């Protein structure tokens, strides 16, 4: 099993370049990690030329995890339904697909997206509208993981070829979800580490987003993550770990520390492009 480690966004990690006054470029980021999660698409779809420019800044082996647009995850309604946004989204990510550099599309559903029938059926709609593209789903409502539902969810994701994201967060809080690591697609498992700041997770106010991910994982906590990765059964071809605990600039340091713990050697990517995923 291959293990890859990356961060959310590439510009907010000054520890990678030892310059707190300068934003990290994608080219600089790509010298440290083989994958990045991009949330730009959630707010507005970028221009096709922008995506094409990204590909010129990284080696062919570098891959992108792209967040689905907020219309696609139900955060925002669209007149006439979400189908048009799905179509536009697939057009914009086409350059990443053609070069084999789209690792997956991340559907991070809102906390109110619970395990009711209409939402269960919407997951099937997502698969139909996304076609053969790799899709990962992060479900942030406890109802999906309650007794009798979790096993059915795993089988449902396997049938639909959806990667079920394992999210690490303060699961003791009201509404928090458990860390649920399982293999639903043979090519990939995806772990997203949001931090364990319990007080920040429940904070309100205008800067609630920053408070939620203000957390630095300890060495022992990273050891637990590494052990969970190594012990997962069945093992996928790849486990990808994304650090999203960056309110205090901790994500990059934690990612480097986990890579060292797991003896992951990354010295820049080769010029050989990865094999295109064949899901069906």
């Amino acid at each position: 099993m291959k293990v890859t480690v990356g961060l959310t966004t590439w510009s907010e990690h000054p520890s990678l370049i030892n310059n707190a006054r300068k934003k990290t470029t994608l080219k600089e980021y790509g010298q440290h990690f083989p994958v990045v999660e991009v949330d730009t698409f959630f707010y507005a779809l970028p221009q096709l030329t922008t995506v094409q420019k990204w590909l010129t800044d990284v080696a062919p082996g570098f891959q992108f995890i792209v967040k689905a647009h907020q219309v696609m995850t139900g955060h925002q309604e669209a007149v006439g339904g979400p189908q048009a946004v799905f179509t536009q989204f697939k057009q914009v990510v086409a350059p990443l697909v053609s070069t084999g550099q789209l690792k997956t599309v991340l559907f991070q559903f809102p906390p109110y997206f619970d395990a009711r029938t209409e939402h269960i059926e919407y997951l099937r709609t997502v698969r139909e509208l996304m076609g053969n593209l790799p899709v990962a789903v992060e479900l942030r409502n406890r109802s999906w993981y309650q007794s009798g539902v979790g096993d059915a969810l795993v089988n449902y994701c396997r049938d639909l070829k959806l990667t079920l994201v394992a999210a690490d967060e303060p699961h003791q809080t009201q509404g928090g979800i458990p860390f649920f690591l399982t293999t639903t697609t043979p090519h990939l498992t995806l772990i997203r580490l949001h931090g364990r700041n319990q007080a920040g997770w429940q904070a309100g106010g205008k800067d609630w987003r920053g408070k939620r991910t203000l957390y630095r994982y300890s060495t022992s906590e990273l050891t637990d993550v590494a052990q969970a990765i190594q012990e997962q059964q069945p093992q996928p071809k790849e486990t990808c770990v994304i650090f999203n605990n960056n309110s205090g600039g901790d994500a990059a340091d934690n990612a480097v520390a986990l890579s060292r713990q797991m003896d992951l050697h990354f010295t820049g990517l080769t010029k050989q492009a990865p094999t295109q995923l064949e899901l069906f």
Side-chain angles (χ1 to χ4, degrees):
M1 175 184 60
K2 178 173 71 171
V3 179
T4 51
V5 175
L7 312 172
T8 52
T9 77
W10 59 75
S11 62
E12 300 172 0
H13 309 287
S15 66
L16 296 178
I17 56 175
N18 297 317
N19 189 340
R21 297 183 179 182
K22 179 179 177 295
K23 287 186 177 295
T24 315
T25 66
L26 176 56
K27 186 175 294 185
E28 291 169 332
Y29 174 96
Q31 297 305 309
H32 297 271
F33 300 105
V35 59
V36 69
E37 180 185 300
V38 185
D39 67 355
T40 303
F41 292 76
F42 178 82
Y43 302 100
L45 299 183
Q47 295 293 319
L48 187 64
T49 53
T50 299
V51 178
Q52 292 170 331
K53 172 62 168 58
W54 293 345
L55 293 175
T56 67
D57 289 339
V58 295
F62 187 92
Q63 290 192 304
F64 297 82
I65 296 172
V66 178
K67 261 194 174 182
H69 188 272
Q70 56 190 317
V71 165
M72 300 162 68
T73 54
H75 286 84
Q76 184 184 83
E77 292 187 7
V79 178
Q83 290 83 351
V85 177
F86 273 85
T87 299
Q88 295 168 9
F89 182 93
K90 288 187 289 186
Q91 292 171 346
V92 175
V93 300
L96 305 180
V97 176
S98 64
T99 60
Q101 290 174 264
L102 176 67
K103 188 178 291 294
T104 194
V105 178
L106 171 64
F107 281 72
Q108 187 185 37
F109 288 99
Y112 51 82
F113 187 86
D114 57 12
R116 70 182 71 176
T117 301
E118 64 185 272
H119 294 157
I120 294 171
E121 287 301 317
Y122 185 70
L123 293 180
R124 185 177 298 277
T125 299
V126 165
R127 170 44 69 206
E128 292 171 352
L129 293 176
M130 293 299 288
N132 290 351
L133 293 183
V135 171
V137 295
E138 183 173 347
L139 303 170
R140 297 187 288 167
N141 188 288
R142 272 188 178 272
S143 62
W144 295 98
Y145 302 100
Q146 62 189 354
S147 178
V149 179
D151 290 342
L153 172 63
V154 169
N155 291 330
Y156 192 57
C157 286
R158 286 173 178 167
D159 290 343
L160 295 179
K161 297 179 174 60
L162 302 175
T163 299
L164 182 60
V165 173
D168 186 63
E169 60 182 50
H171 60 270
Q172 307 95 335
T173 60
Q174 183 178 2
I177 62 170
F179 181 71
F180 192 78
L181 180 59
T182 186
T183 304
T184 58
T185 50
H187 68 281
L188 179 69
T189 60
L190 179 59
I191 298 173
R192 301 184 74 236
L193 303 178
H194 301 297
R196 301 174 183 177
N197 184 350
Q198 186 167 335
W201 202 257
Q202 301 177 97
K206 294 182 179 180
D207 61 341
W208 65 270
R209 293 181 185 275
K211 294 176 182 178
R212 283 167 69 93
T213 60
L214 182 59
Y215 191 80
R216 189 178 186 90
Y217 284 92
S218 68
T219 299
S220 62
E221 288 171 335
L222 293 176
T223 298
D224 291 341
V225 172
Q227 183 175 350
I229 293 170
Q230 293 163 341
E231 293 179 351
Q232 62 182 315
Q233 294 294 333
Q235 288 194 344
K237 292 181 180 178
E238 177 185 354
T239 294
C240 180
V241 184
I242 297 295
F243 283 84
N244 186 40
N245 59 317
N246 202 51
S247 293
D250 296 306
D253 291 348
N254 274 164
V256 170
L258 179 66
S259 298
R260 289 172 178 167
Q261 275 201 28
M262 300 195 71
D263 199 26
L264 306 178
H265 299 287
F266 180 74
T267 56
L269 293 163
T270 66
K271 293 300 181 181
Q272 182 178 358
T275 303
Q276 183 85 24
L277 291 177
E278 295 182 2
L279 299 185
F280 300 98

